[in-house]
Every structure is written in C-alpha cells, then in structure tokens.
Amino acid sequence: MATDDNPFKSLERQFERMQRQFEQALETWNVDQLGTPATATERMGIDLADRGDEFVLTADVPGFEKQDIELRLSDDTVHITAKRERETTQESDEADEDMYIRSERERRSLSRSVSLPQPVEEDAVEATYRNGVVTLMLPKRETTEPTGRTIDID
C-alpha cells in the first residue's frame, strides 16, 4: 500500500484550485470600469508533464525578455516571476519623442507558483527560453527510505 509522504498535498491542490478560480474571476471583470490595473487580469499559462524520469514545466511569458524572468525552486515548488518596466530616455530633443494619447505598457508582471508532485534534483534543473516560452527540465530525485534510527526505551 502506497502512502503519500506529504500530508499537505491535498491542501496544496485545494490552494492551486482556488488560485485558478480567483484568476478566472479576475478575467471576467471589466478593467476600464473598475479601474483595476491590467496586470491583475493577465495570466501565465503553464503545462506540467511527467516524462518518466523528469518533469517538464512549460510556461508562457509573452512579451518578456530572458533577463526579465526569474526562476526559483524551493520545497518542491517552482516559482516563476516575470517583470518589465518601461525604459525612459533622457534625450532632450522633443521632436523625436512619441506623444502618447494613452500608454498602458509601462509596467507589467506575471507570477506563478507550481507545486511538483515529487522531489526533484535541484542541481540538475535546466531551463530554456524561446519565443516567449520558458521550459524547465526537472529530473526526479530517487526516492529513498526515510532516514533515522530506532530508539530503544530503557
């Protein structure tokens, strides 16, 4: 009989489901009427595949450059954050400056955390970026018997 080593796994799944429902609710709001910033309604699409000896996590981060993306792995959870701020120039030649009627592209950020079903080899994780898509290869860690020892009672 197989037992789950993580007693909080069902709670994590519940939180992930609540996060998806909250993000879907944000997508239905009318941003112009409510005055909510556009970044609150954006969502990072992800796929997590089990390829036997590794997990492959694919995340959509369109409009971001590789240097705008931060990847972090902690406690079997992958954290993906993408931030971009509008670059400003100090040129004084006003003829070259664009006259915006409305500019909504100044700041943008996406963030997502994904819990992995089992531990991975942290030192062997690899990531690539191509055409607005980040792909992480996460080799699974070999499962071992719990460590410890038997303690005799005097």
Side-chain angles (χ1 to χ4, degrees), residues 85-91 106:
E85 293 194 23
R86 181 177 170 192
E87 295 181 15
T88 57
T89 59
Q90 299 296 329
E91 297 176 17
E106 290 182 12

Side-chain angles (χ1 to χ4, degrees), residues 9 50 52 55 76 115-120 139-143:
K9 190 62 73 178
D50 187 344
F55 296 110
D76 300 326
S115 295
L116 301 173
Q118 71 185 73
V120 297
K140 294 178 184 177
R141 186 176 343 157
E142 293 293 324
T143 56

Side-chain angles (χ1 to χ4, degrees), residues 28-54:
T28 63
W29 290 0
N30 184 335
V31 173
D32 290 331
Q33 287 182 354
L34 297 174
T36 306
T39 56
T41 63
E42 294 178 8
R43 184 169 181 215
M44 180 186 305
I46 61 119
D47 290 329
L48 180 61
D50 187 344
R51 301 265 167 88
D53 60 344
E54 71 177 353

Side-chain angles (χ1 to χ4, degrees), residues 10-26:
S10 64
L11 187 60
E12 288 173 358
R13 285 191 293 268
Q14 182 83 5
F15 278 120
E16 288 172 3
R17 187 170 57 240
M18 289 171 52
Q19 179 182 2
R20 284 192 304 272
Q21 290 172 343
F22 182 70
E23 289 170 351
Q24 289 171 352
L26 284 175

Side-chain angles (χ1 to χ4, degrees), residues 48-132:
L48 180 61
D50 187 344
R51 301 265 167 88
D53 60 344
E54 71 177 353
F55 296 110
V56 177
L57 176 65
T58 307
D60 294 334
V61 286
F64 291 93
E65 298 297 324
K66 183 167 82 169
Q67 63 271 15
D68 298 331
I69 303 166
E70 178 185 332
L71 304 173
R72 194 167 40 92
L73 177 65
S74 64
D75 298 328
D76 300 326
T77 300
V78 176
H79 304 276
I80 306 168
T81 305
K83 293 181 183 176
R84 180 186 71 209
E85 293 194 23
R86 181 177 170 192
E87 295 181 15
T88 57
T89 59
Q90 299 296 329
E91 297 176 17
S92 60
D93 186 8
E94 292 183 26
D96 290 339
E97 291 184 28
D98 292 328
M99 300 300 280
Y100 291 103
I101 296 171
R102 184 173 183 168
S103 178
E104 297 179 351
R105 300 180 64 206
E106 290 182 12
R107 223 177 265 145
R108 186 171 170 218
S109 66
L110 296 174
S111 182
R112 191 79 186 262
S113 295
V114 181
S115 295
L116 301 173
Q118 71 185 73
V120 297
E121 290 291 340
E122 294 180 15
D123 296 333
V125 173
E126 296 179 6
T128 59
Y129 174 81
R130 184 171 177 206
N131 296 332

